[in-house]
Amino acid sequence: MTESSTTSPRRAAIIVNPSKPVDFDVKGLVARHSVENGWGEPIWLETTKEDPGVGQAKEALAKGADIVIAAGGDGTVRCVAEVLAGGETPMGLLPLGTGNLLARNLGMDVTDFDGAMAGALAGTERKIDVVRARRDNKEQVFLVMAGVGYDATIMADTNSDLKDKVGWLAYVDAGIRNLPGKPVKASVVIDGKTVSQRGVRSVMVGNCGKVQGNLEIFPDAKVDDGLLDIAVLAPHHGKLGWLSVLAGIIGKGKTKDTAVEYFQGKSVEILLESDEDYQLDGDHEGEGKHVLMTVDPGALTIRM
């Protein structure tokens, strides 16, 4: 081994979503922190509509990146994590998205970009769970939350221009517009045991607890507990049916009302009578009626 190879500085790869509007110099921020921490020239990789992060993460590893920093929203983070999960290279977060839900659930200040960069290059590491979701023989991962039904329809129907203008409130607009709808018959199987067979509007699976607006959907969820948290939403009939769901969420599932049922397990299989919208970490991924999700404990290293 040559002397230069033993003293070559560490390099960070930045995978950035160029479509995210930002009001500061991201490249300048990354370059400054790299110099201040004694790192080499950053590897700069931009996502595209056709490849929102998976290919870029593979390229980063091929170029020998010592850390891969996802600079974007939860969709960019998820795609980078899909490549890094199960490996040794840590991931950093530069939260530039609308929700930034993983960063929020990890306790990051999503407005402190200097702190995010400093943490990625010189912070402490922790391992978090990754959830592997298989639908129609296609496996993907998610880190925050996934679902079939109403919650995924919201993601599919959110106006992107409105999201750029008002942020997460755009999801509220889509949610209100899609409140009417019919339940679909569903079977929910957790760790091989059927726990629910009924008409539902949504089945949500969480690795973290909080969503937009700091609303806590899964009160017992921890990103490193090796468990999935499952919520089955089945509003009562009539115009006030969704109030029973809201009451169940606010009551953290401790009431006798069955509009919201909570479960935990290491795997969940969702079987629907018909195709329903499907989302992973806020990205609409099409439709499906059979999804299997399993937790991969401690599979991803985060430096922050």
Side-chain angles (χ1 to χ4, degrees), residues 22-32 44 94 96 113 117:
V22 293
D23 56 4
F24 68 98
D25 180 8
V26 181
K27 276 191 173 181
L29 175 82
V30 172
R32 176 166 56 82
W44 192 263
L94 187 57
L96 304 180
F113 302 118
M117 274 305 304

Side-chain angles (χ1 to χ4, degrees), residues 32-52:
R32 176 166 56 82
H33 278 275
S34 295
V35 170
E36 289 176 357
N37 288 280
W39 287 59
E41 182 181 352
I43 302 164
W44 192 263
L45 302 167
E46 292 189 352
T47 66
T48 63
K49 192 172 183 179
E50 295 73 29
D51 188 348

Side-chain angles (χ1 to χ4, degrees), residues 13 15 43 45 55-68:
I15 298 179
I43 302 164
L45 302 167
Q56 293 83 351
K58 290 178 179 177
E59 184 179 347
L61 293 182
K63 290 183 175 180
D66 295 283
I67 187 170
V68 182

Side-chain angles (χ1 to χ4, degrees), residues 150-212:
Y150 173 68
D151 67 299
T153 301
I154 292 174
M155 303 307 171
D157 198 33
T158 297
N159 184 300
S160 58
D161 291 336
L162 187 63
K163 193 163 77 165
D164 287 340
K165 292 176 182 175
V166 300
W168 65 267
L169 288 173
Y171 296 113
V172 177
D173 166 70
I176 292 171
R177 284 189 282 106
N178 287 283
L179 275 176
K182 294 181 179 180
V184 59
K185 288 184 180 179
S187 293
V188 181
V189 181
I190 298 177
D191 295 342
K193 179 183 177 182
T194 300
V195 298
S196 180
Q197 283 185 307
R198 58 191 301 209
V200 306
R201 283 296 304 278
S202 181
V203 180
M204 300 172 66
V205 182
N207 192 37
C208 302
K210 293 178 182 177
V211 295
Q212 284 86 357

Side-chain angles (χ1 to χ4, degrees), residues 134-136 269-272 274-275 288-292:
R134 179 171 287 276
R135 178 197 52 143
D136 299 333
E269 189 173 13
I270 305 165
L271 302 101
L272 305 173
S274 59
D275 283 324
K289 59 182 180 180
H290 181 207
V291 183
L292 175 64

